[in-house]
Amino acid sequence: VEEDVKIIYDLSMKGFTDNYLFAPIPFELFKSIYVPSFQSVDLRTSCIHEDPQGKPIGFNFTFVMEGQIVIKSVCVLPEYRGKG
């Protein structure tokens, strides 16, 4: 769903800013890189995290491959880290 991809993009651009070698990219480029990889895996173990008011604050991109759980990416906005 395009709306979910946009949420994941916005979270990524804010949540990974302090990561080593992070460089922001335009939404269309993000979509062209990541949407094909989303389509090739079972995303039932992935989710977008929300605060109590329903605002997206993070996500995890997790899937099962060859019988193992793969945690590919975890993003939490800086202001929500360490909150439990």
Side-chain angles (χ1 to χ4, degrees), residues 11-12 20 26 31 39 44 47 50 52 55 58 66 79 82:
L11 290 168
S12 295
Y20 181 67
K31 191 166 70 169
Q39 294 170 343
R44 288 182 292 177
C47 64
E50 298 177 342
K55 174 188 167 195
E66 298 176 9
E79 60 268 29

Side-chain angles (χ1 to χ4, degrees), residues 42-47 49 60-64 69-71:
D42 181 348
L43 296 175
R44 288 182 292 177
T45 55
S46 298
C47 64
H49 308 280
N60 69 281
F61 178 36
T62 306
F63 52 91
V64 177
I69 296 174
V70 177
I71 302 171

